[in-house]
Amino acid sequence: MGVEDVKAAFEGLSIPWECVEHNPIEKVEEGLELDSIKSLGCSFAKNLFIKDKKAGFFLLVVTADRKLDMKKLPGLLGKGTKEFRFADEAALKEKLGCGKGAASPLGVMTDAAGEVTVVLDEELMGAAKIGCHPCQNDHTLALTPDQLKAFLAKYSHEPMLKAPAKIEEEAKVVGKKEGADSKGLEYTKAGNFPNWYQQVIHKSEMIEFYDISGCYILRPWSFSLWEAITEFFDGRIKKMGVKNCYFPMFVSEAKLNAEKDHVEGFAPEVAWVTRSGDGELEQPIAIRPTSETIMYPAYACWIRSHRDLPLLLNQWCSVVRWEFKHPTPFLRTREFLWQEGHTAHGSYEEADKMVMDILGHYKAIYEELLAVPVIKGYKTEKEKFAGGFRTTTVEAYVPATGRAIQGATSHNLGKNFGKMFKIEYEDKQGQKQIPWQTSWGFTTRSIGVMVMVHSDDTGLVLPPRVAPIQVVIVPIVMSGMNLDTLSGAASDLASQLRASGVRVELDDRDNYNPGWKYNYWELKGVPLRLELGPKDLEKRQVRVVRRDTNAKLDVPWSVLPQQIALLLVQMQHEMLERATALRDAALKTVVEWKDFVPTLQLGHMALTPFCNDEEATHFEELVKEKSKAEALAASGAEAEDARTSTSVAAKTLCIPFEQPPLPEGTKCFISGKLATCWVLWGRSY
Amino acid sequence: MGVEDVKAAFEGLSIPWECVEHNPIEKVEEGLELDSIKSLGCSFAKNLFIKDKKAGFFLLVVTADRKLDMKKLPGLLGKGTKEFRFADEAALKEKLGCGKGAASPLGVMTDAAGEVTVVLDEELMGAAKIGCHPCQNDHTLALTPDQLKAFLAKYSHEPMLKAPAKIEEEAKVVGKKEGADSKGLEYTKAGNFPNWYQQVIHKSEMIEFYDISGCYILRPWSFSLWEAITEFFDGRIKKMGVKNCYFPMFVSEAKLNAEKDHVEGFAPEVAWVTRSGDGELEQPIAIRPTSETIMYPAYACWIRSHRDLPLLLNQWCSVVRWEFKHPTPFLRTREFLWQEGHTAHGSYEEADKMVMDILGHYKAIYEELLAVPVIKGYKTEKEKFAGGFRTTTVEAYVPATGRAIQGATSHNLGKNFGKMFKIEYEDKQGQKQIPWQTSWGFTTRSIGVMVMVHSDDTGLVLPPRVAPIQVVIVPIVMSGMNLDTLSGAASDLASQLRASGVRVELDDRDNYNPGWKYNYWELKGVPLRLELGPKDLEKRQVRVVRRDTNAKLDVPWSVLPQQIALLLVQMQHEMLERATALRDAALKTVVEWKDFVPTLQLGHMALTPFCNDEEATHFEELVKEKSKAEALAASGAEAEDARTSTSVAAKTLCIPFEQPPLPEGTKCFISGKLATCWVLWGRSY
């Protein structure tokens, strides 16, 4: 039995076919992590194929999070069952026609003899759709409870339905938090960071999963943050004279290959279009991973005289890098949104000022909008942009994982691309010159960094300046009270705040109680909650609750707009302060190798003296290898976290602009040669 | 000899290889039209291989626009030459190793005997790069004049250089306008519309050509128009509660195929990604031609209760439709920018209100921003959106070509996609329902329509409301005058205007004279030019010149901001009025078939009584065929204009919302059945 048989059966029953393909999975937990399965939007079933000494075979089809005690099953399944154990693979094959890990109620196609009793969890049968394997664990399909019942009926199996309460009572469900609301987070930031992150961004409605790996849907709740960033940065660069434009997303192979170092940096990740409609293209065409090779041939046409300089262009678009590491929403995605600026100048100084000004704006986005502190610096030769002359960067830090992360970079490209693309102009003296160029990009990754830095076990925490909703008003309705008075006052307050420029939402939905609403808005990270109950009405005040600290404050209506404005500014400021304090506490100076890996093991970054000479790349490689080996030896950790693709190896983050004094004679911590600067290292995303 | 031989020779000489491939071209004029050749950014050479009775073979390599009188050539080439004629193909093959249409100075590789004298036009040798065929007319390469000389030297040919003045004097150049500035337009709108259009958008710096067919670079001068449209429309839809988001550009084959009619509408134009890096993808992945099939599976997850409705989302992005018709910048491109809105509603009425409101905004963009009048109406069944229930449209008209063009459409999708993607919710009564959906899109095509409607033989004419620069100030410097006074006054005026909200540019470049600047800004379509000379300074006034009418007006400085504000509003208004008058004059009522094709032949649209019943599609097809046949018979015209892919066949534009009275008993003009409505027909882009 396999996917084709199930498909044929579905066709016979007119059940629509909604199926995704994926790598074979063995455990239900793996399935829960797969974007393709998530995209089905179904409750993924856990299937236990068991047998007892007397009654024979049972297939338990339950919600994925149930953990059952085998010993208690007779109490649940009754009818003289006893001593349950898992049926072996041979039995699975024989009775349900499935291989290991692929048990599913659809296997009843094989069980013409009716030897297997199917037991269905009523909670699962209340789901909109149920996900299960079509007798192969490399496919998952979705069907409604009614369709499943129809399928079972067709193959003459009447399922046994079990209520969740009954299952809990009889079979001792473990592992589910008491009273946990399935809408809230099920993981803690400290306990399981990757799962916590996935849940925060999904349950807060920032992200929806998609059936193509590495692609995600940016829902309005996250896209509005991108709009805030766009507006801020676009305004700043326009003041500098940068103009927006749009270049094609496609690039020919010849142009992509024009700059050797550059193409080497990007080639493995390039997506190629080779077909249109039913026909093959004459030449494969690449989708831009970045636009240097798309833009600069045009620059060669436009730049002829010194009067054509500076040329300052920017575009907002998406780019595609077909990465094979484990994708992470916002941080590592196959398509992402960004701006890319590309400028050409008549002098090195002007180009350098451009990359520094832009880096300043990038820092401002992180610190002033997202409340995430960053460190400015130069990238080393090894880490700089492929094909460029020098890369400047802002580096952020995620305290919860002890990982650094590149925030954004600006590149002084030198004259290298100009040479390759024959960009030449006549200077004032009539001499042929190649311009100095820069490029710089800021991506949606920044949103992920913000989530990782600020959010907590309750959900998102949004910095007020970028929060789509800054204040939510929740009226607290008590039985027997005059509804009109309360809602009238609530909407008056909302109007006042709106008039003073605050983004405010009045949550007057009548189908949810205040507690539910608190949870909902906390999960979504709204900075301030205003509670308005009968007592508040009497005292003409509201209770204000801060999302980040949970601090509560009663504020008279008469001063509400002023107080709210103040609180929003305060919260914004304190979020940055707290994150800065945590980041600073993780910044350690290390002067000897022996202290290096232990520092990293504590989740810290290390600032070391370094010989930044022509052998620097070699020593960076050495640090990478040695740090990895020592870390593995010390902790028995795995070399790579498969879920985030972060390695235990250290790499350079930057050569910080702000250099501490370097006493004469200080040695490089790895080469032993004379150090020339301080370099910042860390484990990194 | 062929491209590989030339390539090898270039390698030997270390000349960089910059070559594009294209369909074989026979005439130099064809080459000038090719985007791939344009993208080389070079002067395309015209090569004439001639021989005379005595002196033997000459290869004349001249600028593409030169037309030479064969009889005068002896005067130019001297040395006893006489009676020149074109050498035949056999000689071309023998002496230069090239086939017909592929003559090129690179052919000297073959001419080891040195029998061919190469004559170079000095104007061409002053170009940054020269384009010529590598002995094959399906390739064009670019090289610098110095590289060409090095190549000729390598094969022992010393070229004869001829000054343009000498060529003109001796060889009677024809066809070039007296004193025509090469920066200006060389074609008239009435004389050669396609070439005029290409030049207007290229020379005004709206568009740069690109080496992938159907893809164009939107330079800041056109992109800023798109930004103005974006800002206007985005503000309006946000007020309606629509939120922005971003869905992936990729879609799996299964999802794309989910809705049968829909996929049939788009499949032939879909671009497929099949490779990443060096590896084949397991499944080919499509690039969105539109996002219904990308978004609606997510809608099925999000819409569960009537409380989740309405769902109002929009995204700004690019989409890809790999068309095979002749591409036209803005109008028909393989990648284009648009917004696509996708909404779901609890009732037909709400969905209908949504598509009508959006259509109102689309009309406002055309009429209020772009000053292009449009007609609102319903699309017929034949012309509606694939898979949808009913399409509403705004239709524009280009007087210069007598062609109609679809401006933008909004679709009431009905419940069709909801059924296919299983979007279901529980209504207030607890019943399962499928929501009503809408989708609607507005694209960069609108910019092309605006150019076609308003621009003239001098260049662009931009409606003031969207012009990136509304006013340009040109100081008129006379010899011996005080420069500081003039420039001081000019920048004072600029500041005053800027302060009053006018987008103003002071053109104080000292390397161009006022006449050159007038031409430059007229070509770019800036609405108002302010001339400030010594006399104006004395009288404390400026001369204001309107771009659209060339009307001149002296305005005292004291009232300048008020007058400019008024003039901008007036010009915007009058541009729409003029375009509306032209459009209205082209709107003809036709009640009998015999008048139909003659009306279209005059470049008019025809409003006809029509039997809009279940046979309507059949009769639309019939009109298409008959109108084409009659038009061809009447005029001997070609069925299709290859350069714009517009057919002489008529199609329905819309069923206008504003219906004239339909007298009882009126017959359909094509079927003879009773008419049920008036339908608008035209030849269309």
Side-chain angles (χ1 to χ4, degrees), chain A residues 296-308:
Chain A
Y296 300 164
Y299 281 35
C301 293
W302 299 336
I303 300 173
R304 294 287 164 84
S305 149
H306 63 93
R307 298 181 198 274
D308 300 324

PDB file of all heavy atoms in Angstrom, chain A residues 296-308:
ATOM      1  N   TYR A 296      25.133  47.260 -12.504  1.00  0.00           N
ATOM      2  CA  TYR A 296      26.334  47.977 -12.898  1.00  0.00           C
ATOM      3  C   TYR A 296      26.554  48.086 -14.405  1.00  0.00           C
ATOM      4  O   TYR A 296      27.157  49.064 -14.860  1.00  0.00           O
ATOM      5  CB  TYR A 296      27.546  47.436 -12.136  1.00  0.00           C
ATOM      6  CG  TYR A 296      27.400  47.589 -10.629  1.00  0.00           C
ATOM      7  CD1 TYR A 296      28.210  46.897  -9.736  1.00  0.00           C
ATOM      8  CD2 TYR A 296      26.413  48.429 -10.087  1.00  0.00           C
ATOM      9  CE1 TYR A 296      28.065  47.037  -8.356  1.00  0.00           C
ATOM     10  CE2 TYR A 296      26.250  48.562  -8.713  1.00  0.00           C
ATOM     11  CZ  TYR A 296      27.080  47.865  -7.853  1.00  0.00           C
ATOM     12  OH  TYR A 296      26.922  48.002  -6.495  1.00  0.00           O
ATOM     13  N   PRO A 297      26.080  47.134 -15.219  1.00  0.00           N
ATOM     14  CA  PRO A 297      26.170  47.379 -16.662  1.00  0.00           C
ATOM     15  C   PRO A 297      25.412  48.659 -17.055  1.00  0.00           C
ATOM     16  O   PRO A 297      25.869  49.401 -17.917  1.00  0.00           O
ATOM     17  CB  PRO A 297      25.522  46.130 -17.275  1.00  0.00           C
ATOM     18  CG  PRO A 297      25.748  45.064 -16.259  1.00  0.00           C
ATOM     19  CD  PRO A 297      25.610  45.764 -14.929  1.00  0.00           C
ATOM     20  N   ALA A 298      24.287  48.920 -16.380  1.00  0.00           N
ATOM     21  CA  ALA A 298      23.558  50.169 -16.672  1.00  0.00           C
ATOM     22  C   ALA A 298      24.359  51.365 -16.164  1.00  0.00           C
ATOM     23  O   ALA A 298      24.396  52.415 -16.813  1.00  0.00           O
ATOM     24  CB  ALA A 298      22.168  50.134 -16.034  1.00  0.00           C
ATOM     25  N   TYR A 299      25.011  51.213 -15.030  1.00  0.00           N
ATOM     26  CA  TYR A 299      25.837  52.311 -14.512  1.00  0.00           C
ATOM     27  C   TYR A 299      26.905  52.690 -15.542  1.00  0.00           C
ATOM     28  O   TYR A 299      27.253  53.863 -15.678  1.00  0.00           O
ATOM     29  CB  TYR A 299      26.500  51.918 -13.180  1.00  0.00           C
ATOM     30  CG  TYR A 299      25.588  52.013 -11.977  1.00  0.00           C
ATOM     31  CD1 TYR A 299      24.227  51.708 -12.074  1.00  0.00           C
ATOM     32  CD2 TYR A 299      26.063  52.426 -10.733  1.00  0.00           C
ATOM     33  CE1 TYR A 299      23.396  51.790 -10.982  1.00  0.00           C
ATOM     34  CE2 TYR A 299      25.235  52.524  -9.621  1.00  0.00           C
ATOM     35  CZ  TYR A 299      23.900  52.195  -9.747  1.00  0.00           C
ATOM     36  OH  TYR A 299      23.071  52.281  -8.647  1.00  0.00           O
ATOM     37  N   ALA A 300      27.421  51.646 -16.228  1.00  0.00           N
ATOM     38  CA  ALA A 300      28.451  51.917 -17.238  1.00  0.00           C
ATOM     39  C   ALA A 300      27.890  52.797 -18.357  1.00  0.00           C
ATOM     40  O   ALA A 300      28.622  53.590 -18.952  1.00  0.00           O
ATOM     41  CB  ALA A 300      29.000  50.607 -17.798  1.00  0.00           C
ATOM     42  N   CYS A 301      26.591  52.659 -18.647  1.00  0.00           N
ATOM     43  CA  CYS A 301      25.977  53.530 -19.662  1.00  0.00           C
ATOM     44  C   CYS A 301      25.750  54.936 -19.127  1.00  0.00           C
ATOM     45  O   CYS A 301      25.834  55.908 -19.865  1.00  0.00           O
ATOM     46  CB  CYS A 301      24.606  52.983 -20.094  1.00  0.00           C
ATOM     47  SG  CYS A 301      24.691  51.448 -20.985  1.00  0.00           S
ATOM     48  N   TRP A 302      25.399  55.042 -17.869  1.00  0.00           N
ATOM     49  CA  TRP A 302      24.946  56.325 -17.329  1.00  0.00           C
ATOM     50  C   TRP A 302      26.089  57.221 -16.851  1.00  0.00           C
ATOM     51  O   TRP A 302      25.933  58.430 -16.766  1.00  0.00           O
ATOM     52  CB  TRP A 302      23.975  56.094 -16.160  1.00  0.00           C
ATOM     53  CG  TRP A 302      22.737  55.343 -16.545  1.00  0.00           C
ATOM     54  CD1 TRP A 302      22.183  55.261 -17.794  1.00  0.00           C
ATOM     55  CD2 TRP A 302      21.901  54.562 -15.682  1.00  0.00           C
ATOM     56  NE1 TRP A 302      21.057  54.481 -17.760  1.00  0.00           N
ATOM     57  CE2 TRP A 302      20.851  54.036 -16.480  1.00  0.00           C
ATOM     58  CE3 TRP A 302      21.913  54.255 -14.319  1.00  0.00           C
ATOM     59  CZ2 TRP A 302      19.855  53.228 -15.942  1.00  0.00           C
ATOM     60  CZ3 TRP A 302      20.917  53.456 -13.790  1.00  0.00           C
ATOM     61  CH2 TRP A 302      19.898  52.940 -14.604  1.00  0.00           C
ATOM     62  N   ILE A 303      27.189  56.588 -16.465  1.00  0.00           N
ATOM     63  CA  ILE A 303      28.287  57.380 -15.893  1.00  0.00           C
ATOM     64  C   ILE A 303      29.351  57.616 -16.948  1.00  0.00           C
ATOM     65  O   ILE A 303      30.102  56.702 -17.297  1.00  0.00           O
ATOM     66  CB  ILE A 303      28.889  56.664 -14.659  1.00  0.00           C
ATOM     67  CG1 ILE A 303      27.804  56.477 -13.597  1.00  0.00           C
ATOM     68  CG2 ILE A 303      30.068  57.453 -14.111  1.00  0.00           C
ATOM     69  CD1 ILE A 303      28.246  55.632 -12.420  1.00  0.00           C
ATOM     70  N   ARG A 304      29.400  58.816 -17.495  1.00  0.00           N
ATOM     71  CA  ARG A 304      30.358  59.151 -18.533  1.00  0.00           C
ATOM     72  C   ARG A 304      31.255  60.303 -18.111  1.00  0.00           C
ATOM     73  O   ARG A 304      32.407  60.373 -18.472  1.00  0.00           O
ATOM     74  CB  ARG A 304      29.621  59.525 -19.833  1.00  0.00           C
ATOM     75  CG  ARG A 304      28.862  58.375 -20.461  1.00  0.00           C
ATOM     76  CD  ARG A 304      29.805  57.367 -21.092  1.00  0.00           C
ATOM     77  NE  ARG A 304      29.163  56.094 -21.361  1.00  0.00           N
ATOM     78  CZ  ARG A 304      28.450  55.829 -22.459  1.00  0.00           C
ATOM     79  NH1 ARG A 304      28.299  56.749 -23.372  1.00  0.00           N
ATOM     80  NH2 ARG A 304      27.905  54.638 -22.617  1.00  0.00           N
ATOM     81  N   SER A 305      30.664  61.208 -17.313  1.00  0.00           N
ATOM     82  CA  SER A 305      31.396  62.412 -16.925  1.00  0.00           C
ATOM     83  C   SER A 305      31.357  62.547 -15.409  1.00  0.00           C
ATOM     84  O   SER A 305      30.482  61.974 -14.746  1.00  0.00           O
ATOM     85  CB  SER A 305      30.737  63.622 -17.573  1.00  0.00           C
ATOM     86  OG  SER A 305      30.873  64.767 -16.763  1.00  0.00           O
ATOM     87  N   HIS A 306      32.277  63.311 -14.862  1.00  0.00           N
ATOM     88  CA  HIS A 306      32.265  63.577 -13.416  1.00  0.00           C
ATOM     89  C   HIS A 306      30.960  64.254 -13.000  1.00  0.00           C
ATOM     90  O   HIS A 306      30.570  64.205 -11.847  1.00  0.00           O
ATOM     91  CB  HIS A 306      33.473  64.427 -13.030  1.00  0.00           C
ATOM     92  CG  HIS A 306      33.482  65.780 -13.668  1.00  0.00           C
ATOM     93  ND1 HIS A 306      32.954  66.906 -13.070  1.00  0.00           N
ATOM     94  CD2 HIS A 306      33.938  66.180 -14.884  1.00  0.00           C
ATOM     95  CE1 HIS A 306      33.090  67.939 -13.877  1.00  0.00           C
ATOM     96  NE2 HIS A 306      33.682  67.526 -14.994  1.00  0.00           N
ATOM     97  N   ARG A 307      30.283  64.858 -13.982  1.00  0.00           N
ATOM     98  CA  ARG A 307      29.009  65.501 -13.675  1.00  0.00           C
ATOM     99  C   ARG A 307      27.892  64.475 -13.438  1.00  0.00           C
ATOM    100  O   ARG A 307      26.823  64.823 -12.957  1.00  0.00           O
ATOM    101  CB  ARG A 307      28.579  66.420 -14.814  1.00  0.00           C
ATOM    102  CG  ARG A 307      29.553  67.555 -15.053  1.00  0.00           C
ATOM    103  CD  ARG A 307      29.075  68.462 -16.168  1.00  0.00           C
ATOM    104  NE  ARG A 307      30.158  69.277 -16.667  1.00  0.00           N
ATOM    105  CZ  ARG A 307      30.517  70.451 -16.136  1.00  0.00           C
ATOM    106  NH1 ARG A 307      29.875  70.920 -15.103  1.00  0.00           N
ATOM    107  NH2 ARG A 307      31.525  71.127 -16.656  1.00  0.00           N
ATOM    108  N   ASP A 308      28.110  63.243 -13.836  1.00  0.00           N
ATOM    109  CA  ASP A 308      27.108  62.186 -13.596  1.00  0.00           C
ATOM    110  C   ASP A 308      27.240  61.604 -12.191  1.00  0.00           C
ATOM    111  O   ASP A 308      26.464  60.724 -11.808  1.00  0.00           O
ATOM    112  CB  ASP A 308      27.253  61.068 -14.628  1.00  0.00           C
ATOM    113  CG  ASP A 308      27.064  61.572 -16.053  1.00  0.00           C
ATOM    114  OD1 ASP A 308      26.219  62.471 -16.236  1.00  0.00           O
ATOM    115  OD2 ASP A 308      27.770  61.087 -16.960  1.00  0.00           O
TER     116      ASP A 308
END
